[in-house]
Amino acid sequence: MMNNSRAMDNFNDAFIKNFTTIALGVIINYINGTFVYIFFKSHIFYSDPRYILYIHLVINDMIMLSFAVMLQVITYALPYGLNMFVCCMMLVITSTTNRNSPLNLAGMAIERYIAVCKPLHHIQICTVRRTYILICLIWSVAVIPALSNIIIVLATKPFTIFSTGVLCYNNAVYGSPYHEATSTAVHIVNLSFVFLTLFVTYFKVLFAAKAAITDPTSARKARNTILLHGVQLLFCMLGYITPLTNMILLSLFPNKRTTILFSNFLFTNVLPRLLSPVIYGLRDQKFAKYMRVYYSCKQYDIQIKPTEVQVNSKKW
């Protein structure tokens, strides 16, 4: 929806919108990139399935944001549209990463459930190898609907369409009734599965704490984490309600069409890529500690002890 407002923008408006989008994209990816840098600097993080899933969510959001910004700029920069084949490849990446986020949240919630409710089996079940297998499974499940969109195009349109130019956004490329039906079904199944997973894991942890079969403090932290995943899921769902909000706002303010479309694009595609990872990262004590050190220009030498992590800081 956002991209079809290009023809209604003058040069100044188009410049401001693209500059704002690029600036926010660079800032958000820099902040998220800091988390990625800290993750790979210490084996405390990349040997823990919990943090592996978290950093996968961050990297996934960085990829999604980068391609969303690129598509936004390309729409304005190429007046005759982008090559259909190139556009389809970019949409495959954006739609796949978009579906990855809620599935990753479900995986993180299950990991917390196992850690709290089945602590004796956590080490055996949640291994680093199995975590990477889960990530591969998430990508495999998420990419299938994206590839099916291309198959539908091949089945309903001539192959020569891939050499033509097109405005590169979903409604322009995948606007057939088959695409709409498939997209709706995938969204419903995907979000229902994730919501049900968060719901079940939350109450499993809650009942485990009430039954005194697990540490109350750990259970409380796990419940708060799963609730936070629910908030993150709401961020993921913002993109699905964009057509509805656009329709309502455009009916109320028809003269503000381009402003409404651009604002919705920022609030549903750009800003959530910052809020979701940063809130979770800063809430985590380990990540918060390393973030403070990173921005205060110190470097940590990590020494692992059986019962604690000893951290010695020194000036760069």
Side-chain angles (χ1 to χ4, degrees), residues 16 25 248:
I16 292 173
I248 295 174

Side-chain angles (χ1 to χ4, degrees), residues 80-284:
Y80 299 105
L82 185 65
N83 177 268
M84 179 72 168
F85 177 79
V86 177
C87 175
C88 286
M89 294 300 101
M90 296 184 72
L91 290 179
V92 165
I93 296 174
T94 54
S95 61
T96 300
T97 51
N98 186 40
R99 294 187 182 95
N100 279 346
S101 294
L103 292 175
N104 197 93
L105 293 175
M108 295 170 72
I110 293 173
E111 188 276 332
R112 284 296 84 197
Y113 159 74
I114 296 173
V116 172
C117 297
K118 301 181 181 296
L120 298 180
H121 302 285
H122 181 262
I123 297 178
Q124 289 79 20
I125 297 175
C126 300
T127 63
V128 172
R129 179 175 177 272
R130 287 181 176 177
T131 303
Y132 284 115
I133 292 175
L134 174 62
I135 291 174
C136 292
L137 181 62
I138 289 173
W139 278 88
S140 299
V141 171
V143 78
I144 291 175
L147 295 178
S148 68
N149 284 334
I150 298 178
I151 294 174
I152 293 174
V153 172
L154 289 171
T156 58
K157 296 181 180 180
F159 186 78
T160 54
I161 194 174
F162 286 99
S163 61
T164 61
V166 64
L167 289 179
C168 196
Y169 63 100
N170 272 301
N171 288 346
V173 180
Y174 307 134
S176 71
Y178 303 104
H179 288 109
E180 293 179 3
T182 302
S183 177
T184 301
V186 169
H187 289 333
I188 292 175
V189 172
N190 190 10
L191 294 179
S192 297
F193 167 76
V194 176
F195 175 80
L196 184 62
T197 301
L198 297 181
F199 181 84
V200 171
T201 52
Y202 177 83
F203 282 100
K204 285 281 189 179
V205 172
L206 178 64
F207 294 149
K210 287 186 176 181
I213 61 176
T214 187
D215 177 44
T217 302
S218 298
R220 176 177 54 82
K221 290 181 178 179
R223 291 201 311 271
N224 292 338
T225 299
I226 295 172
L227 280 178
L228 184 58
H229 294 337
V231 175
Q232 290 175 290
L233 179 61
L234 292 178
F235 285 141
C236 295
M237 292 175 62
L238 288 177
Y240 301 141
I241 64 173
T242 299
L244 177 62
T245 56
N246 283 341
M247 182 179 65
I248 295 174
L249 293 175
L250 288 174
S251 64
L252 295 174
F253 309 99
N255 296 329
K256 301 291 184 180
R257 178 181 177 81
T258 58
T259 302
I260 291 172
L261 295 178
F262 178 70
S263 299
N264 268 343
F265 171 74
L266 290 183
F267 283 106
T268 60
N269 290 278
V270 178
L271 294 180
R273 308 283 80 77
L274 170 66
L275 296 178
S276 180
V278 167
I279 290 174
Y280 185 89
L282 294 181
R283 178 178 171 272
D284 185 89

Side-chain angles (χ1 to χ4, degrees), residues 7-24:
M8 302 178 65
D9 286 328
N10 57 42
F11 176 80
N12 290 335
D13 290 340
F15 176 80
I16 292 173
K17 289 176 181 179
N18 282 283
F19 178 81
T20 302
T21 303
I22 294 173
L24 287 175

